[in-house]
């Protein structure tokens, strides 16, 4: 059994990790650390785990684990690792932004399996991608692979309130979020940097703008991204390119019918829908921001690190009603 430690165990991503890992046949959760909730039952905070998980939060730092998930806030993972040393055999998956970019990555591999599976398999440290970044990259990578990103890319993507994390802020209050939509960080969202690095990894001559408009939605989880750019190929040719690119990636599904967000909520899937409009290709990309956009992808990376089938414990089902 693989022994697991979770740092920053009180947040949304940690709760999702635990929910997945208690059903994983090859792992054992050894410790869930939280400074703010120490000595409370984990199920007192993550109440959906009532009756399923009986561990308490600890302030201790695990010293003997096979894998450490870092679920603390952005900027805290680097500080944590500078203060706490672990054996070289301890694998680490970080869910923050701290090690995603090449200039700050160090030994960390960017953990988008559909881009870096072969590198992930051989790695010890993984920087889990951002949620918006995952949805947008999966929409664009087949085009980049075939040198088809020749014009500006336009993205409008709406996300659920859990994308802002568990700590309450003005724009996550129910009274603000309910029956409301708003734009934030237009054209300069932090995930654009990792998106551009992944695109140029496959198409090194890409130099056009990715015009990204992030939108706060009035729902709790999920990302609905609409991506379009100019392309001369036919819809049939483009679908063939996408199907070939994702043939060996079990969580990316190309559909023929215009999809809805509930098809991916509570799953580790990314659903892609392609539609040609004159000289433009529209790609609709849907993920659950807490699963394929965070904890589900982290478990997917864990499976690759330890040689388990990629889909282990991730056969999660959407509820569309």
């Amino acid at each position: 059994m693989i022994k697991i430690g979770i740092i920053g165990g009180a947040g949304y991503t940690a709760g999702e990790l635990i929910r997945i890992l208690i059903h994983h046949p090859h792992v054992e959760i050894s410790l869930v650390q939280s400074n703010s909730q120490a000595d409370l039952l984990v199920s007192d905070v993550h109440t959906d785990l009532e009756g399923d998980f009986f561990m308490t939060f600890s302030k201790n730092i695990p010293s003997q684990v096979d894998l450490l998930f870092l679920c603390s806030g952005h900027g805290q993972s680097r500080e944590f690792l500078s203060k706490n040393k672990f054996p070289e055999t301890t694998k680490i998956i970080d869910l923050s932004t701290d090690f995603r970019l090449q200039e700050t990555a160090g030994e960390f591999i960017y953990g988008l399996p559909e881009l870096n599976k072969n590198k992930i398999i051989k790695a010890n440290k993984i920087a889990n991608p951002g949620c918006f970044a995952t949805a947008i990259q999966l929409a664009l990578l087949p085009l980049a692979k075939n040198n088809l990103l020749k014009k500006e890319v336009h993205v409008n993507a709406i996300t659920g309130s859990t994308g802002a994390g568990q700590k309450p802020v003005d724009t996550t209050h129910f009274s603000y979020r309910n029956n409301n939509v708003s734009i934030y960080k237009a054209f300069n969202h932090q995930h654009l940097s990792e998106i551009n690095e992944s695109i140029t990894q496959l198409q090194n001559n890409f130099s056009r703008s990715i015009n990204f408009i992030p939108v706060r939605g009035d729902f709790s989880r999920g990302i609905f991204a609409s991506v379009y750019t100019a392309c001369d190929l036919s819809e049939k040719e483009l679908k063939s390119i996408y199907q070939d690119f994702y043939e060996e990636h079990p969580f990316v599904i190309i559909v023929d019918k215009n999809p809805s967000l509930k098809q991916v909520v509570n799953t580790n899937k990314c659903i892609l829908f392609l539609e040609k409009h004159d000289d433009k290709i529209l790609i609709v990309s849907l993920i659950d921001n807490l699963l394929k956009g965070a904890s589900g992808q982290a478990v997917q990376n864990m499976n690759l690190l330890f040689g388990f089938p990629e889909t282990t414990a991730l056969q999660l089902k959407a509820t569309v009603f």
Side-chain angles (χ1 to χ4, degrees):
M1 298 288 280
I2 303 301
K3 292 186 176 181
I4 301 294
I6 298 174
I7 304 299
Y12 287 135
T13 56
E16 291 295 307
L17 270 175
I18 296 166
R19 184 168 69 86
I20 297 167
L21 292 174
I22 59 176
H23 299 291
H24 198 293
H26 305 300
V27 307
E28 171 189 329
I29 300 175
S30 298
L31 183 142
V32 181
Q33 183 271 348
S34 172
N35 291 326
S36 63
Q37 306 296 336
D39 300 326
L40 286 178
L41 281 170
V42 173
S43 59
D44 286 343
V45 174
H46 302 300
T47 54
D48 59 306
L49 296 172
E50 190 72 53
D52 294 324
F53 192 70
F54 303 96
M55 187 173 288
T56 59
F57 289 109
S58 173
K59 279 191 175 181
N60 296 330
I61 305 301
S63 57
Q64 297 296 324
V65 292
D66 300 300
L67 172 65
L68 203 60
F69 286 103
L70 303 183
C71 299
S72 300
H74 302 311
Q76 297 180 34
S77 294
R78 187 177 298 277
E79 180 181 359
F80 173 83
L81 291 176
S82 70
K83 293 179 179 179
N84 299 277
K85 302 303 179 184
F86 299 92
E88 291 185 5
T89 54
T90 302
K91 298 182 185 293
I92 296 171
I93 297 178
D94 177 36
L95 281 79
S96 80
T97 63
D98 291 16
F99 301 100
R100 290 175 186 164
L101 300 182
Q102 293 173 13
E103 65 180 4
T104 59
E107 299 176 1
F108 281 78
I109 296 298
Y110 188 67
L112 187 65
E114 293 78 12
L115 176 67
N116 286 330
K117 180 183 287 190
N118 292 334
K119 294 180 181 179
I120 292 167
I121 290 170
K122 301 173 184 178
N124 280 326
K125 298 178 180 179
I126 301 295
N128 219 56
C131 53
F132 271 136
T134 295
I136 295 167
Q137 287 172 117
L138 293 177
L140 293 174
L141 289 181
L143 297 178
K145 176 68 174 177
N146 289 274
N147 201 39
L148 292 171
L149 291 175
K150 299 177 181 179
K151 302 291 184 179
E152 289 190 350
V153 176
H154 302 272
V155 182
N156 180 282
I158 185 167
T159 184
S161 58
T162 53
Q166 193 174 42
K167 185 177 180 180
V169 295
D170 291 346
T171 53
T172 60
H173 282 298
F174 177 82
S175 56
Y176 176 87
R177 202 82 178 216
N178 188 48
N179 297 322
N180 197 15
V181 173
S182 60
I183 288 172
Y184 69 110
K185 297 182 181 179
F187 300 105
N188 63 2
H189 193 278
Q190 66 271 17
H191 288 183
L192 276 170
S193 296
E194 58 188 283
I195 294 167
N196 275 290
E197 285 194 353
S198 295
I199 296 302
T200 55
Q201 183 177 327
L202 295 182
Q203 183 180 327
N204 59 18
N205 65 351
F206 178 70
S207 59
R208 299 289 185 168
S209 296
I210 298 177
N211 302 303
F212 176 29
I213 308 297
V215 181
R216 301 182 185 96
D218 64 342
F219 50 90
S220 60
R221 58 195 295 164
I223 288 176
F224 190 110
S226 305
V227 182
Y228 68 92
T229 189
C231 184
D232 294 332
L233 297 187
S234 69
E235 185 175 301
K236 183 178 179 180
E237 290 172 318
L238 287 163
K239 284 183 177 179
S240 178
I241 285 171
Y242 274 72
Q243 288 164 350
D244 288 347
F245 188 92
Y246 290 118
E247 183 178 9
E248 297 182 1
H249 299 287
F251 292 110
V252 181
I253 301 164
I254 316 297
V255 298
D256 293 323
K257 294 181 180 180
N258 203 335
S260 62
L261 187 60
K262 282 189 176 181
Q263 289 175 247
V264 298
V265 171
N266 293 319
T267 81
N268 198 54
K269 296 176 184 177
C270 173
I271 286 181
L272 297 177
F273 171 73
L274 284 73
E275 194 170 66
K276 195 73 190 292
H277 293 269
D278 297 325
D279 66 337
K280 295 180 179 65
I281 178 65
L282 168 67
I283 311 107
V284 177
S285 178
L286 312 181
I287 65 168
D288 185 314
N289 59 291
L290 290 178
L291 289 170
K292 184 57 176 164
S295 302
Q297 187 149 254
V299 173
Q300 186 180 354
N301 280 320
M302 180 196 76
N303 287 336
L304 292 171
L305 286 176
F306 288 95
F308 305 137
E310 195 169 347
T311 58
T312 304
L314 290 169
Q315 296 92 343
L316 308 168
K317 302 295 183 182
T319 303
V320 295
F321 299 107

